[in-house]
Every structure is written in structure tokens, then in C-alpha cells.
Amino acid sequence: MTSVLLVDDDPRMQVLGRKVLERQGYHVVVAANGMEAAAAAGHERFDVVLMDLEMPSVNGHQALRLIKAYQPSLPVVAVTAYAMAGDSERCREEGFDDYISKPYDIANLRALVARLAVMR
Amino acid sequence: MRLLSSRWAVVLFFGITGAPIVLLAYSSITISTASAVTAAQHGAADSAQASAAFIHQRFQDVGAGLDAFADHNLAPAMTAGPAGRPDMGSLSAELVDLTRLQNGVSTAFVTDPRGRLLTVTPAQGDLAGKYLTGDDWYQGVTTQDTPFVAGLSATGGRQDLNAVAIATPIHGQANGATVRLGYLVGLYDLEKIQMFVDDFSAAHSTNLWVIDGAGYVLAAPGLELGSVTSWPAGDQLVARALNGHPDVSRSMRDGVPSLSASAPVPGFRWVVVADVPAPVALQGADQLRATVIAIAAVLGVVLVAGLVVGWTLVRRAQQAAVLRQRMEALARLNEAASSVHAERGPSALQIIAVHARELVGADFSALGVWDAVGGRMAPVAHDATTGLPHAALDDLAVLLVERCQPASGAHRGELGELGVATGETELWEVGPYLSVPLSAGRRVLGCLVVCRREGSPRFHAVDERQLQQMAQHATSVLEKSRVDAEREAFLDRLRETNEELQQASRLKSQFLARMSHELRTPLSAILGFSDLLLEGASGELSPGQREDVQEIATAGRGLLDVLNDILDLSRIEAGRMRLELRPVRLEALLGDVASALRPLALSKSLELRLAVVGGDPPVMADPLRIRQVVTNLVSNAVKFTHAGGVIVRLLTLSREVEISVLDTGIGIPQEALDGVSDEFSQVDGGQRGFTGTGLGLSIARRLVLLHQGTIGVESEVGVGSRFWFRLPVATDAAPRQLVLAAEEGLAG
């Protein structure tokens, strides 16, 4: 079963993401910040990580480095409300495997996760 | 060489060379005149003495002739007559022979020893038998028994003044003894003397006068026989000669200055005067004088010419020297100027101080700048000749610029009691100084002071001019420094302002990013949960609920559009929009937009169609932005059209391509048309019941303008609207980037 690590500090987004993905039949683990995300990724095997960027303590950028240091092949997707021009490119350059801006279309999110999970 | 000394040299030269020439000429003329006079006088004396001797000799000769004739020819005749008496016939014949033979004797007669006239030839009858014992000759001859030349005056009457009687006794033998038989007297014609005088005058340019003791002129140049002329009485020349002393003198003769000499005729009271006319005597001297004057004149001319040439050469040399000095000074100034201009600020001022000192040959130079804050002249540069102690120079510069700063204009002077110690006891004291102001307009920026050691030559006007030129350089350096400083200050302010602006811009960008982020996060929840509800994640919705949730989702998306528009607009406003211009054919692009929006149109039962008229030439455009513009226009058209359709038309004009979006919508009132594309303008949206499109139109207008295009709208209420824009056809195929600003990075 496809397992998704959902990282977001906003409880509403945690709920929304969990519901959107679980309705699709994915296993969803939620982390509220980068530190929890890195810890979760160390404990459990995930197929996709959906990473918010701006979070307290360890943010998305730092968490990306922590995760990629041990699991370079684990797809990490930037899910962010930073949707200015060029943000997508910068995220890909930084090492994110993909980028989706908030507010996202729930169909698009599901399609993205499905595609990355299949590739894995 | 100075001008004054060269003048003196000329005077000296004239004196040394001209004076001897003048002296030589003068003395030659004087000496030659004197010697000519002397020579003439000697000549006159010789002439007089020779003539006197000649006359005397002549009478002696005639006397001797007569004596011989008397004794040989007449003596026999004296006793040839009866009873030893004179034979008168023979006597007459002999006398005729005598007058014929003896030159100058034209008349002769014989007397008996008692003086009775026996015969005379030429015959003069009335004289026969007359006793002539009263005559001078008789007195003379009877006393001396030798030929006697008688004077004339005693013969009585000046009418007889045409001959000289020369008498000689006639000796015969009687009883073995010599006895006087009688006397022979020959009258020697004075004409012969006159002839001699004439000949002499012609031969020697010397006039002879023969004067007797009574002052009568016996012979004279051109004198006619028989005429009676008297020598001026009291003439010392004649008087001294009569006393046996020859003499010379100057005299006027017939109005001609003459040099005269006199000589007594021996045996007579006769005097011969010889005259040499001065013009003749001085002829040689005159010639000499003329020659000397001519030579002196030539020498003078040569001298003057030489002087002129020499003077000219000296002047030229002086001028050349002055010119050379000026050139050198100019070269030094240029060198100074170029080295000054190569530097700026303090180092340039130091160079000026060095050059100023060297230029005028000073021992020390100081350049002071007016310190407005301190209210005093402060030295900024100084330079000293070798030998001055370096340690004390700063103090010397301070004192010098304070003491010598010019009130106005340059000034020169002597300064005492200011110096520096160069050794234990020795003191280097300032003497002559020269100070010029550094002034820009009326402001005094500073001063340039040079000085020499006490006892050195003072500074001159030339030094002042040169120093002033250096001062001008210094002034321009100071002015340049001031301008540079002002420019630096201005640039600093500009940089600060720019920094502030950039800071503000950064803050604005951060704010926009933050705002965007903060709005998107709740919107994510709104839209996400709406979609979940619509999906039936929380159970199937009733039709009413579905409609309400749909409204929430639509409103949320509308808010997202507004947010995106705001970001776009602020990017354009801030000049941060980047256009990737390249040749684009628009047909495909328009087709994509139409396809994307067709579902929306179909949902309102509207037709959405694309029409292409006149080909599809490429235009220079950023496809993403043109797509945004077209999307905006078409979605607006769809929004405001309730029946009919929307046509997207591509029309090729001569140099432009026109894209029109035509609809059959509600139209726009004429009075509102002008403001349609203004920022945030919204045409009575409430009435129509649609969300506003102001931002979208504003963005569309600005993007088209960024493409160097034009945009416009035509509309009629109730009929429809046509929104159009035109883009220039691409003239070259090279893509280029129209960078309007760098994009901002991600925050956080």
C-alpha cells in the first residue's frame, strides 16, 4: 500500500491532505514540522513525501536535506503557498522532485502522488 | 646681457673707436696745414733770397761785362783822338756795339774823368758836354774804383725809374801808370727785372715784388713799365729786410691770403718780397684734408654700420635669449601643469609646491588653504631646498602662510625674525618672499608663498607672473577637489537613496510574497474542503448544498484570480515583469486559449470560435503573456455574454497583427468606454451581477503596451463589444529578452 508522509504545520491542511489522499486509498502519516518528518522518514518507509516549506523549528528546506541525506531516492514534493514566478524552478533546483502550489486542485495532488508512487 | 649695460657698451665702443678717428683726422689736418704753411713760407723765403741773389748777381755780371768792355774796348778810343784825346767817333761806335752785345743794357754813355758826358748811345744831343757828377753812380764809382751799381731814386724823378745805372771806370796806361780815362755807364733796363719776375711767377706760382728803399715797387707781377706803385708804408716785412733781416709773414695781397717772405738785395737798399698765395700753399694740405675727411667719413660709416649690425646682433641675441628663457619657463610650466593634472588632490598640491619653488628659484615654498572652520590659513603642502632641516619645515610653513598670506593680489617683500635653526647655533632666516592668492572669483581659497634666505636677491615681477600661473593650477586643483567632493557627496546621497529604495522595494516584495502566502493558505483550505464536499467525501450533498458549496469554491477561485492579478500588476508596476520575446505565430496560441475556455462557454451555451484572416505572420511576443492577455479578454467576453457567442479573430494588417475578441454581450455604455481599461476601473459590475474584471483588463493593457503594441475597445450597449490589440510583425527572427527586472527570490 502506497504510503505518504504529509508534512504541514497547519492542522487544516493536515486534515485536508489526509482526507484527500486516504479517500484515494493511500496510507498517510502526518508530521507537523521538518524534525518530525525526518524522524518519521527514519522510522518508516514512505513512497512520497509532501512537504510544506514554511514551518516552525525545522522548515521544509532543511527537512529536505535531512531526508535526502539518507534516502536520496525518496520523492519529496514541495507543497507551498509560495506561488510567485520562479518559485517552482527554485524548488526543483534545491532538490525537490516536484512542486505543487497551494491552493492545489485535489485531483492534481492525487495524480501527482500516484505518478511518483508508480515510478518508485 | 641687460639692455642698460649694452647701451653703455655702445657708448664705450663709440668712444674707444670714434675718438681716435676724429683725433687722427683733426691732427692730420692741423699738422698738414701747419707743415704746408711752413713749407710755403720756406718756399717763399727761398724764392725771395734766390731772387735777391739773382738780381744782385745779374748786376754784378753786367758790371763785370761793362768793366771789361771799358778797359779793352773803350780805353783805346779814349786816347785815340788828336793829342790823346778821345776819338768821339770810335767811342760812339763802341757804345753802339756795347748796347748791342750787352743784354739788358739799352743805353750807355761815357764821361771823362771829371764827369763830363762825352758820348751817349742812343744819341741824345742835348746831354753832350753836361757834367753828371751829381748822379749816384758818379759818387759811387769815383769812390770805389770798381763797377758800381747805382740806385735809382737818386737819379732824380720817378720817370727815370726804368733803368739801373751801372758805372765802371775806364782805365788806361799813361806814363806806365794806370790812370782813369773816364767812366762808362750802362743803363740796365728794369724791364729785364720785370721779365724775371714774370717768368718766376709763372714757373713757381710765387709772386715776386722788388721794392726799393723808398718804398717804390720796381717790379711786380704784371706791373707795367713806367707806372708808379708804392709799397704800403710801415710794412714790417719790407722794413726788416731793408735792415738786412729776411722775414716771413702772412699777409693779404690783392684780397688773397698769402704767405710772404722778404730778402734784401745785397748792395742795394732793395728788397725782394716773395708771395705764395695761401690757396696754392695749402693746396696739398687741402687735398690731404679732403682725403683724411673722406677716409674718416668712410671709417665713420663703417663704424656706424658695424655698430648697427653689432647692436642688431646683440638685440637679436638678447631677444633670442629672452625667448629661450620664456620657452624654458613655458616648458617648465607645462611640465608642472601636466604633472599636476596627472595627479589629484594633495599629491597635485605637493607637486605644485615643488614646481613653484623650482620655477622662481626659491629656497622654500608653502601652499596654504583657507580653513573656513578654523578661520585661518593652513599649509597643505611645502617644499624646501636641500640644506633646510626637515624637522622644522612644517612649523615654517605654518608661520609663512600666516604671515605672508596676501590680502588681495600678489605681494612681495622682506621678512625678518622668522627662521629655523639649522644647527646648534646657525639660524636659517627668511628674507625676500613672494606671495600670491589662490582665488576663485572673489573667494580666496588659499595662498602660494615662496621665500629665499635672508640676504638673497629679491623676487621680481617675472617671478610673480610665474608664481601666479602655478597658483592658477593650484586653484584649479582645489576647485576640482571641491567639485569631486561635492560629486562624491551627491553620489553618496544617491547611493543611500537607492539603498533605501531597494530596501523599500525588497520590503514590498517580501510583503507581497508574504501576503500571497498568507492568503493562499486559507484559500487552500476553502477550496480543498469545498472540493472534498463536492466529491462527497462527507456524504452525498443535496442539490441545494452542492450549489452552495459550488458558490464557495467559485468565490474562492475568484479570490485566487484577484490575488494573482494583484501580484501580476504589482510586478508590472514595479517593472519586474520579464518578457521573453521571440517570433510567435499566434494562430495556434489562440486555438489553445479557445480550447481551454470552450467548456466555460459551452456551459453558458455560447459558441466560441476562432477566425483567421490574411495569414499568420510571426510577431515578436512573449507567448505566455499574450496567452494571459487573450485568456483574460475571452473569459471576460464569455462572462458578459448571455446569448450568442464569442469570436476570436486574427487579422493581418500591413505591419501589424490584430487580435480581436468579439462578443454579442451586454455592451459597454459610451460614457464608460474611456475608463474601461484604466486600472481597477469596473463598469458598473453590481448592475450586471458579475465579479469585476478591472484588474484583468489593466494587466492586459499593460502587457500589450510592454510589447510595443496598442489596445482598444469598441462597444454598443445591447449589441456587443469588440476588444482588440495589435502587435508589430517581427522584422528579425532573433529572440531577445526584454528584462524589466530581476525576479525576487523565495522568502524564508
Side-chain angles (χ1 to χ4, degrees), chain A residues 10 12-13 15-16 19-20 23 54 59 61 80-85 87 90-91 101-106 110, chain B residues 514 516-517 520-521 523-525 527-529 531-532 535-537 557 560 567 571 743-748:
Chain A
D10 187 335
R12 296 167 298 180
M13 295 311 288
V15 173
L16 176 66
K19 284 192 174 177
V20 166
R23 273 181 63 81
E54 195 170 292
N59 66 28
H61 306 284
T80 176
Y82 286 115
M84 307 287 276
D87 283 348
R90 262 188 290 278
C91 286
S101 68
K102 294 180 191 170
Y104 49 76
D105 188 282
I106 56 174
R110 284 173 183 151
Chain B
R514 170 66 51 190
S516 162
H517 183 265
R520 276 173 187 275
T521 304
L523 269 177
S524 296
L527 292 175
F529 283 112
D531 286 349
L532 269 182
E535 207 178 69
R557 293 215 163 75
L560 189 59
L567 291 179
R571 264 205 297 272
E743 296 289 341
E744 276 301 314
L746 279 171

Side-chain angles (χ1 to χ4, degrees), chain A residues 88-108:
Chain A
S88 164
E89 289 78 0
R90 262 188 290 278
C91 286
R92 287 175 206 276
E93 279 169 23
E94 196 181 340
F96 284 103
D97 295 274
D98 215 323
Y99 166 94
I100 190 165
S101 68
K102 294 180 191 170
Y104 49 76
D105 188 282
I106 56 174
N108 287 348

Side-chain angles (χ1 to χ4, degrees), chain B residues 46-63:
Chain B
D46 287 347
S47 297
Q49 283 172 13
S51 301
F54 173 79
I55 290 166
H56 176 254
Q57 188 59 47
R58 185 77 188 133
F59 289 150
Q60 293 298 318
D61 289 350
V62 173

Side-chain angles (χ1 to χ4, degrees), chain A residues 3 7 9 15 17 19 30 38 47 51-53 68-70 80 82 89 102-103 109 114 119-120:
Chain A
S3 184
V7 190
D9 61 324
V15 173
K19 284 192 174 177
V30 173
D47 295 295
M51 180 79 77
D52 185 20
L53 291 183
K68 285 285 182 179
Y70 299 100
T80 176
Y82 286 115
E89 289 78 0
K102 294 180 191 170
L109 184 68
M119 285 167 67
R120 192 163 162 82

